[in-house]
Structures are given as C-alpha cells and as structure tokens.
Amino acid sequence: MVPTLLVVSVMVFVIMRLLPGDVVNLMFQDLGYAQSLAEMRAKLGLDLPFHQQYGRWLAGLLRGDLGESLWTQRSVVSVLAERLPVTLELGLLSLAFAVVYGGVTGVLAAISQDRWPDMTLRSVAMMFLSLPSFWLGTLAIVVPSIWLGWSPSLQLVPFGASPRENLVQFALPAAILGSHLGAPIMRMTRAMMLEVLRHDYVRTARAKGLAPAPVVLKHALRNAIIPSVTILGVQTSQAIAGSIVMETLFQLPGMGSLLVEALAHRDFPMFQSLVLFLALFVMAVNLLVDLTYFAIDPRTRAQAG
Amino acid sequence: MTLLRALVTRKPIGAVGAAIVLVLLVVAVFADRLAPQHFNETSLTDALQPPSRAHWFGTDELGRDLYSRILYGAQVSMTVGLAATAVAVLLGAAIGIVSGYFGRGVDLALQRVVDAWLAFPGLVMVIALLVLLGPGLGSVILALGISQAFPQSRIIRGATLVVREHAYIEASRASGASHGRVLLRHVLPNVVAPIIVSASTYVSFVILIEAAVSFLGYGVPPPRPSWGGMLSATGRSYMVRAPWLSVFPGLALTLAIFAFNVLGDALRDLLDPRLRAA
C-alpha cells in the first residue's frame, strides 16, 4: 500500500503542476492581497523548486498536516472534516441501497430463471445500468416540481439538526446512485446463484427435504455472494465518481464538489491531499474487501492457514 | 458472418443493440444531411418552444432546433466512444503485454503505476487530464482513452501471463527470435480475444463518462452539441420551464448506452463462454 500511495502522490503532484493556469494569477486578479505576483508566490511557497515543494508536502503529510488551501487559507483537514460526512453519508447510503437491491433481486431472478420475474428484473437492471445517473437525477428534480409542485431541498440539512429531513434529503440521490451501482451486483449475484444452484451439495440439501428458502439462503447464497463482494470494492470508487455528479446536481456540499472546485482554482495542496486521501480510502476499502473474502470464504482461510 | 448469424439467432437482444448502434453510426456520419437545421442555427424568436411539428423535440434558449442538435450530438458520443476505446485498447494492450511478458522489475514498476491510477478518483483524474490537454474533441478522446487504458491493461496482463508460459513462446525464443518478434507474432495474437471482449464492454462506459464530464462542464466545448453538455448547460437552468431540454438528450444518451451494453454482453457471451453473464 505504501509504495502505491507514494506513486499516487508523485503522480497527482506532477499532474497538478503541469496544468495550465496558476492559482497565483487567479488569486491576484480576484483577491489582490499582495503587492506583486512574486510576493504572493513566495507567501504561498510556490517560488521553491518542485522537489522542495514536494518534499514539504510529503513531510507535512507524515505529520498529519495536509496543508492549507491556497485559495481560502483554511487548513485542508478542517475543510475535509466539514465535507467528508456529506460524501460518506451519500456513499454509504447508496452502497447500502445497491447491496440490498442487487442482492435481493439477484437471488429472486436466479430462482425464477427465464420466467417473467427473472426477465423483468434483468431488464430493470439493464435499464439502471444504461440510465446516466445525472439524467435520472435531473428528472427526479424536474418531474415532481412540474406535476406536484414539489422539489427536493437544495439546502443541506445536517443530520444532527433533523435526522428525518436529512435522510429524506439524501434518499433520492442515494437511491439514484444506488440503483446504478446495484445493477452489476444484481447481475453478478444472479449469475453466481445460477451456477451454485446446480452444484451437488444444493441438490443433496434439497433431496434431504430442506425447504426451498433455507437451501437458497443458507447453502447457495453464502457461496454465490463472494464475487459480489469483490465488485463492491470496484463500486466504491465508482460511488465516489457518482457522488461528484450527485453533489453537483443536488447541491450537496461534499468532497466531490470540493474536488472539482479545487481543480478549477488550481488549489494544489487542497486537490493533492484530497486525491491522496481518496486513494487511501479506496485502497482501505479494497483491503477490507479482501478481509471480508477471507471471513466468508472458508477456502481462502484454509489456503492461508 | 458466423458471428453475425449467432448474434441474430442466439442473442436477439444483442442483435437489437447492434441495430441501434448501426443506426446511431449512420446518424453520426450523415448528421448534416439528416438534420433539418445546422446545430448552431439560432433564432431568438423561436426560443424555448415546446415540441411541435416544426421542431419535433422543441427548441433551446437560443431557438436552436433540439432534434437537429441531438442528431449532431451522436457525432460526439460515437466518435468519443469508439476512438477513446481504441486508445484505451492500444495503450492498455501495450502496457499489459509488456508488463506480463517481461515480468520482474518491469512488471513491478508498471503495476505500481496502474495500482496508483486505479486508486485515483477516476472522474476527477479524467477532468484533470482534460484541463491539462486543453479543450477539444481530441483531448476528450485522449483523456478518456488514457484513463481507461489502465484497467484494460490489467486484463491483458493477466492473459499474457498465461500465454507466456506456453512452450511455443520458449521455442520461439530458443530459435533466436527477438523479444519484439515474440511479442508481436506470438503473444499478441493469443491475447486478442480477451482484448476484443473487454473492449466491447468499454464503449458504453466511455460514452457515459464523456457525458458525465460534459455535464460537469469539461467536455467538448460549445457550440458543438454533445448530449451530456446539453443536459448540463441548458437543461439544468431551464429544467422546469422547458423540460424537453433535459428529456430528449438524456433519452438519446440512454439509448446509446443501452445499445452498446446489450451488444457488449452478447459479444462477450458468444466470444468468451468462460466469462458468461456477470
């Protein structure tokens, strides 16, 4: 993980410096709190050679100091603390939706293979896979406002202030994102269930007189679910991408919109640290996925032990 | 030909997808003949007209015919979808084959870079690449192609690792063939199948990402119409007053993604029985 993180840090650092446009110019024109461009550059530490800038940033990271926004002068950590809960809530809710939707419909489709529930659920999954979430989100805002005169609140209600209103506010974007993320889970669960249901041990379980429900849930699902857990790792990074779009559309002040802002402002420390943080997060989730794998698949344990 | 027959007889939905793709390609190529108006022909007196006989899909805030703009929009989506996938496949194949064939240090170094890229928030890195490359259709293709090359290279590396162990590779090396010759004549032809299979599923993803990036305002610059861009700029500000501006580009986009999705699924099932479903 550490070497990969180092490569991530170098890559994002280099990409940021290669971008045309410069925060100093942008800020000098807009805010003007220095006498000259050179003075401003020095204030922001951008007059140093690149390797020193990188060294400073890395040294800061090791101390847990993610730097300061060039634009607002606020520490990245405090901005992160403010924005992270929004994205985390949106991401977790949509992943939860995806798992429940994908898992349940995947199993239902598999046990009714090639009959109408299966056909319907597969078509729905294909539809969710093809519908761009930002379009679905736009429609979800437009349609109720035309027909019902109702539109979702575009002002963030913190969970602490009113848990109910907060959840109502997040439900729509989370469901939209979750349906898109859940479709591959549904397809994977269905495919694996079909494979597992043909195995001898499932036939044995049926033959000894077990009711259909325990056979499916206790015997088959446990084995069928494993590849879906792997997908979940991939889905996490897709959830981050999706949340950028959803946050823009529903005007939720989360990490996604922050990243896009930081990039537009060429806010080096903010952008770099955010990307590094997200990369760490994605890697941590993938590690967690591996560990879950280990826990639910006894075969991997036997190999390791 | 046999593939086409198998598609029609065994995968009817995939054949429907193929037909839609074909129609979209024709629309993209002949947009200037099929469209009633040029995509940038403005008429302020006709601004924000609802769908009518004169303007099937209505008009936008500058009085431009939305139907024409959607036909032209197919050009961007199809070009980006196919060209960016081609870039991703070529670059991904190069990285994957070299990494898998040479192994050891080369593999280790390349795979760390791939790991790093896969850990990045993908959409943001595409936008960063776009800012780096400057606005334009070429940049969109390159940015999406590069970003998709890394996941693509993983698949091809895996296939190469299997091929590398075969006796004919060793025989070829022993008979004095250079690495370049072995790679091109023996490794490449044997990893073509997984390359085609994974590429067919990438096109729809690339179209989707192009639209998302355009929606966020970083895509092909105006006035050139792209479906994602139409949803962003005009669609959002006139969402309630002129809902047709958000409905039709989204429908076009969904249709295109759906078509490539079902076609990709069908091709994968037909070409690679081991990867069925999922």
Side-chain angles (χ1 to χ4, degrees):
Chain A
M1 244 164 111
V2 174
T4 309
L5 273 178
L6 270 176
V7 178
V8 169
S9 76
V10 173
M11 277 167 79
V12 68
F13 185 87
V14 171
I15 289 176
M16 253 340 241
R17 310 291 138 152
L18 287 173
L19 297 186
D22 173 352
V23 66
V24 177
N25 273 323
L26 292 173
M27 276 173 76
F28 195 65
Q29 286 156 14
D30 284 20
L31 305 172
Y33 45 59
Q35 294 299 315
S36 67
L37 283 176
E39 187 193 331
M40 186 108 153
R41 216 170 272 281
K43 258 188 179 171
L44 297 173
L46 294 175
D47 54 340
L48 300 170
F50 282 171
H51 65 272
Q52 282 186 27
Q53 288 186 35
Y54 178 74
R56 272 186 159 194
W57 176 49
L58 212 58
L61 288 177
L62 291 176
R63 292 193 308 267
D65 172 14
L66 300 184
E68 224 173 47
S69 159
L70 296 183
W71 196 256
T72 60
Q73 313 279 296
R74 291 186 56 197
S75 88
V76 173
V77 174
S78 72
V79 179
L80 195 65
E82 203 177 286
R83 301 283 196 119
L84 185 62
V86 175
T87 302
L88 216 53
E89 186 178 353
L90 182 61
L92 286 177
L93 281 176
S94 44
L95 281 175
F97 185 94
V99 169
V100 173
Y101 156 69
V104 171
T105 59
V107 171
L108 285 178
I111 55 177
S112 62
Q113 191 191 3
D114 292 334
R115 282 179 287 129
W116 67 265
D118 180 32
M119 304 278 190
T120 317
L121 291 172
R122 274 160 70 193
S123 310
V124 170
M126 184 43 97
M127 192 188 75
F128 280 143
L129 208 59
S130 306
L131 278 169
S133 52
F134 55 88
W135 185 51
L136 210 54
T138 307
L139 292 185
I141 296 176
V142 175
V143 173
S145 78
I146 292 177
W147 285 339
L148 308 171
W150 174 88
S151 53
S153 161
L154 295 179
Q155 187 78 44
L156 179 72
V157 185
F159 187 80
S162 165
R164 208 178 130 258
E165 271 184 53
N166 171 277
L167 285 177
V168 169
Q169 187 175 25
F170 276 88
L172 200 54
I176 291 168
L177 200 53
S179 60
H180 190 71
L181 297 173
I185 298 180
M186 179 269 172
R187 284 148 58 93
M188 180 61 100
T189 308
R190 175 182 176 276
M192 290 313 297
M193 276 302 279
L194 286 179
E195 202 181 308
V196 170
L197 285 174
R198 283 192 205 107
H199 280 196
D200 285 342
Y201 72 91
V202 173
R203 197 178 310 144
T204 310
R206 281 209 180 114
K208 74 179 184 189
L210 265 184
V215 172
V216 169
L217 295 177
K218 283 180 72 177
H219 293 256
L221 186 60
R222 209 181 148 134
N223 279 305
I225 205 89
I226 295 166
S228 299
V229 174
T230 321
I231 295 199
L232 213 57
V234 182
Q235 300 297 75
T236 306
S237 49
Q238 285 207 14
I240 293 174
S243 70
I244 297 174
V245 171
M246 283 295 135
E247 285 167 18
T248 310
L249 193 58
F250 287 87
Q251 298 187 7
L252 298 170
M255 299 263 294
S257 38
L258 183 64
L259 263 175
V260 177
E261 281 161 34
L263 184 63
H265 286 155
R266 307 286 185 277
D267 197 339
F268 297 153
M270 181 65 95
F271 186 80
Q272 287 164 195
S273 300
L274 284 179
V275 168
L276 201 63
F277 177 82
L278 285 175
L280 182 67
F281 182 74
V282 168
M283 283 189 231
V285 169
N286 280 322
L287 185 69
L288 209 65
V289 164
D290 286 349
L291 292 177
T292 316
Y293 223 86
F294 203 62
I296 59 179
D297 188 351
R299 278 168 300 186
T300 53
R301 256 175 301 183
Q303 273 167 21
Chain B
M1 260 316 63
T2 45
L3 183 66
L4 197 65
R5 189 176 307 141
L7 191 65
V8 174
T9 53
R10 284 168 46 203
K11 295 278 166 192
I13 300 176
V16 171
I20 298 174
V21 167
L22 205 63
V23 170
L24 289 171
L25 284 175
V26 170
V27 168
V29 173
F30 298 105
D32 46 353
R33 290 201 210 151
L34 293 168
Q37 288 182 11
H38 185 257
F39 63 80
N40 208 23
E41 190 182 317
T42 54
S43 159
L44 288 175
T45 47
D46 289 331
L48 295 176
Q49 296 283 319
S52 64
R53 193 170 294 182
H55 301 288
W56 291 1
F57 292 173
T59 60
D60 68 4
E61 80 286 5
L62 298 173
R64 296 177 297 196
D65 181 46
L66 194 63
Y67 174 65
S68 305
R69 287 178 63 73
I70 284 179
L71 293 188
Y72 276 101
Q75 290 180 336
V76 172
S77 284
M78 291 296 124
T79 314
V80 171
L82 297 175
T85 304
V87 172
V89 166
L90 289 177
L91 199 61
I95 300 174
I97 291 177
V98 167
S99 189
Y101 177 76
F102 289 105
R104 297 164 196 259
V106 179
D107 188 39
L108 201 67
L110 282 174
Q111 289 313 307
R112 286 297 78 73
V113 175
V114 176
D115 277 342
W117 188 272
L118 293 181
F120 279 139
L123 193 58
V124 179
M125 296 322 283
V126 172
I127 295 174
L129 279 177
L130 276 171
V131 177
L132 180 66
L133 296 167
L137 188 64
S139 316
V140 175
I141 291 170
L142 217 55
L144 282 167
I146 293 172
S147 69
Q148 289 313 304
F150 294 98
Q152 171 82 23
S153 76
R154 267 287 150 82
I155 298 167
I156 296 164
R157 172 180 173 266
T160 308
L161 285 178
V162 175
V163 171
R164 190 181 67 170
E165 300 305 321
H166 286 186
Y168 59 79
I169 301 288
E170 204 179 328
S172 172
R173 281 292 294 156
S175 63
S178 67
H179 283 303
R181 187 180 162 82
V182 173
L183 280 175
L184 287 176
R185 291 295 298 273
H186 302 289
V187 178
L188 187 62
N190 285 296
V191 294
V192 159
I195 290 178
I196 293 175
V197 168
S198 60
S200 70
T201 54
Y202 269 126
V203 182
S204 64
F205 189 63
V206 168
I207 293 178
L208 183 64
I209 300 295
E210 183 275 324
V213 167
S214 296
F215 173 80
L216 292 171
Y218 288 92
V220 180
R224 199 176 181 81
S226 99
W227 295 333
M230 285 188 233
L231 284 170
S232 129
T234 46
R236 262 201 297 171
S237 32
Y238 296 96
M239 245 179 333
V240 177
R241 252 173 77 201
W244 54 90
L245 288 181
S246 359
V247 170
F248 292 112
L251 271 179
L253 195 53
T254 308
L255 188 70
I257 296 169
F258 169 81
F260 277 107
N261 269 341
V262 291
L263 177 61
D265 266 15
L267 285 181
R268 184 178 46 187
D269 285 359
L270 292 174
L271 291 173
D272 193 346
R274 282 165 307 163
L275 287 171
R276 212 171 285 275

